[in-house]
Amino acid sequence: MKPLSQNSVLAKQNYLIPITKRPEICFVRGKGHYLYDQNDKGYLDWVQGWAVNTLGHSPQVMQQALIKQSAQLINPGPAFYNQPMLELAELLCENSKFDEVFFTNSGAEANEGAIKLARKWGQKNKQGAFKVITFDHSFHGRTLATMSATGKEAFAPLFEPKVSGFTKVPYNNLAATEAAIDDQTVAIMLELIQGEAGVIPADPAFVAGLNVLCKQHNILLIVDEVQTGIGRTGSLFAYQYFQAEPHIMTLGKGLGGGVPIAAMVVDKAISCFDYGDQGGTYNGNPLMCAVSTAVVQEVLAEGFLEQVNQVSDYFCQQLSVLAEEFGLGATRGSGLLLAMNTGQLSAPGIVELAREAGLLLNAPREDSLRFMPALTLTEKEVDEGIALLADLLSELIKPEHEQETGLLAGDMVSENRCDD
Ligand SMILES: Cc1ncc(COP(=O)(O)O)c(C=O)c1O
């Protein structure tokens, strides 16, 4: 396909409903760790479709799975079994503590399913208990119920009235969580590392406490692993690292490695949908399931996760060196879901300058950069990105009389930030 000219990009953008501020470039192709725009400018990509492209852009295994499956069977319909659906469900259950899977098309839809399943379980087992405890600053999606579950302040006034039945409590606060439990509580739902909030990990003692609370009060624990699952944090699933004991886990993003597939994975003991309660036209379609199987098999291959952890250590070391040199803050997160505090400097401002310099980054907060590269990252790309960042930071924090623009936190408006 012939790349569009800059003018065509600008003219055609008017046909899209504007839902976020996008830079005036149009990506044409991607390979591994790099994206290329309409002018064939290359960018080292540390956003990777928002922590989605597990194996980077257009990896061979995904191409082959797509071609092979599309030649064989694309869509028999959700009311029939198909082979990739069965194989992927088995793969996820055999490599986790769970027994059964429901496939969806997006993380929000998987979470919606988890909320529905918890409510159904409450109807059948807890005299109609339906309330779900969620956490401040959490992010669970953009359907009406998942926006209602989300603890993002900016969502609070939107699309009223919200879906009722969500009680928000401060993250990592066990006493507040316990205090919020009443007879109508059916589940606690959390991200073990809050990604959109700026990569904020759960405290292990808090997670251990949630395990106990759930047992004591006979309520379900739902882990939203849409962002943390499939190796992103260095273990296949974050619940394993945090020793959480969930009854329901939701997956998305990295599960498809770039194609739209997500899943709700559950313990058999609480799996209580009746026929007709849940479904969807594209759920479990063979094309997406075949690609996802290829991605998950790569992540399960011997040495893959060890390599993720090794490169993560190297990345963290290099970020610390950078932080020391330029007076930035600490690095947090785990595996290849990392963030760094930018101190006085505007993180959205750095994102813009980095993009101009050929590095794609994200700023979930005014003072934080988030790094979510492909899990196939090597030290070579770490060195390349850190060198680009170092050049940019030395320009930014030159002595005041040499500076053209100040870029203090708060200078760039938050519309430069896309939140999920
Ligand atoms: C933790 C978490 N849950 C749910 C979602 C929503 O997933 P999707 O955008 O696929 O609906 C996201 C997206 O960023 C997420 O990070």
Side-chain angles (χ1 to χ4, degrees):
M1 204 192 296
K2 195 167 162 276
L4 295 172
S5 68
Q6 182 74 23
N7 283 344
S8 303
V9 173
L10 294 183
K12 288 182 198 296
Q13 72 176 10
N14 294 323
Y15 292 109
L16 290 172
I17 296 175
I19 48 98
T20 188
K21 188 176 190 301
R22 296 182 169 111
E24 289 174 349
I25 48 179
C26 175
F27 287 117
V28 175
R29 65 191 174 92
K31 188 87 212 122
H33 298 283
Y34 298 89
L35 267 177
Y36 299 86
D37 70 13
Q38 78 276 19
N39 301 316
D40 216 28
K41 175 175 167 180
Y43 301 78
L44 176 60
D45 186 3
W46 281 357
V47 175
Q48 288 286 355
W50 235 257
V52 164
N53 304 328
T54 310
L55 308 175
H57 292 284
S58 294
Q60 282 280 326
V61 284
M62 287 180 72
Q63 292 182 42
Q64 280 159 6
L66 266 174
I67 290 168
K68 205 166 145 215
Q69 188 58 44
S70 63
Q72 203 164 332
L73 179 64
I74 293 180
N75 180 23
F80 300 103
Y81 294 120
N82 68 72
Q83 201 169 323
M85 164 208 269
L86 295 171
E87 282 173 357
L88 181 58
E90 181 181 14
L91 193 63
L92 293 175
C93 292
E94 290 302 311
N95 287 283
S96 71
K97 72 174 282 289
F98 301 99
D99 311 299
E100 294 181 0
V101 181
F102 173 70
F103 291 113
T104 67
N105 308 296
S106 70
E109 203 190 335
N111 284 336
E112 188 87 24
I115 296 161
K116 281 171 68 176
L117 183 64
R119 285 189 174 201
K120 183 86 193 195
W121 184 83
Q123 270 175 359
K124 288 190 166 177
N125 300 286
K126 274 201 93 179
Q127 292 92 41
F130 65 98
K131 287 188 192 164
V132 178
I133 295 177
T134 61
F135 294 91
D136 291 348
H137 309 296
S138 60
F139 184 81
H140 299 295
R142 287 180 181 275
T143 62
L144 202 48
T146 55
M147 281 184 94
S148 308
T150 289
K152 227 174 117 112
E153 263 168 42
F155 279 10
L158 301 179
F159 311 121
E160 290 293 299
K162 292 275 191 330
V163 175
S164 61
F166 296 98
T167 312
K168 313 265 164 54
V169 300
Y171 194 53
N172 278 331
N173 187 330
L174 195 64
T177 309
E178 184 163 21
I181 296 173
D182 63 25
D183 287 349
Q184 292 180 316
T185 305
V186 75
I188 297 174
M189 177 167 171
L190 84 160
E191 299 156 86
L192 292 163
I193 298 180
Q194 290 189 328
E196 299 312 298
V199 189
I200 313 296
D203 182 342
F206 173 64
V207 176
L210 292 183
N211 289 338
V212 174
L213 281 186
C214 286
K215 280 200 192 90
Q216 270 173 356
H217 295 269
N218 188 28
I219 53 185
L220 304 180
L221 186 63
I222 305 172
V223 288
D224 176 348
E225 294 227 28
V226 169
Q227 190 156 148
T228 54
I230 315 295
R232 173 59 53 191
T233 63
S235 49
L236 187 60
F237 304 112
Y239 83 81
Q240 297 164 327
Y241 173 78
F242 282 91
Q243 297 180 7
E245 292 165 10
H247 304 88
I248 304 177
M249 167 173 76
T250 55
L251 299 170
K253 293 186 182 278
L255 177 65
V259 300
I261 180 167
M264 170 175 68
V265 198
V266 307
D267 284 349
K268 194 170 183 57
I270 60 102
S271 181
C272 59
F273 278 146
D274 293 313
Y275 288 167
D277 283 349
Q278 187 63 320
T281 301
Y282 298 113
N283 297 158
N285 73 82
L287 197 59
M288 296 307 115
C289 288
V291 179
S292 172
T293 302
V295 172
V296 176
Q297 276 168 344
E298 287 291 303
V299 175
L300 287 170
E302 209 184 322
F304 187 95
L305 290 174
E306 284 80 355
Q307 169 61 23
V308 170
N309 286 308
Q310 267 172 32
V311 80
S312 165
D313 286 348
Y314 182 73
F315 203 162
C316 290
Q317 274 164 25
Q318 298 310 305
L319 286 173
S320 307
V321 173
L322 199 74
E324 189 139 319
E325 191 175 344
F326 296 100
L328 306 175
T331 301
R332 56 187 185 270
S334 92
L336 289 173
L337 183 58
L338 299 171
M340 186 174 76
N341 201 291
T342 56
Q344 292 289 300
L345 295 172
S346 154
I350 294 176
V351 167
E352 286 214 1
L353 293 174
R355 189 177 62 247
E356 282 159 26
L359 172 65
L360 299 180
L361 296 175
N362 163 249
R365 300 205 315 216
E366 286 297 326
D367 66 351
S368 291
L369 291 174
R370 177 169 46 169
F371 309 97
M372 35 192 173
L375 302 189
T376 48
L377 192 76
T378 68
E379 293 186 3
K380 176 179 159 290
E381 290 86 35
V382 174
D383 290 344
E384 186 184 332
I386 294 283
L388 275 164
L389 266 175
D391 283 352
L392 186 156
L393 289 168
S394 45
E395 271 300 300
L396 264 182
I397 52 187
K398 281 199 293 215
E400 235 168 66
H401 64 273
E402 291 178 37
Q403 274 181 27
E404 281 170 29
T405 53
L407 257 189
L408 294 180
D411 283 357
M412 305 293 289
V413 284
S414 50
E415 64 181 354
N416 288 327
R417 207 172 55 188
C418 181
D419 291 313
D420 45 90

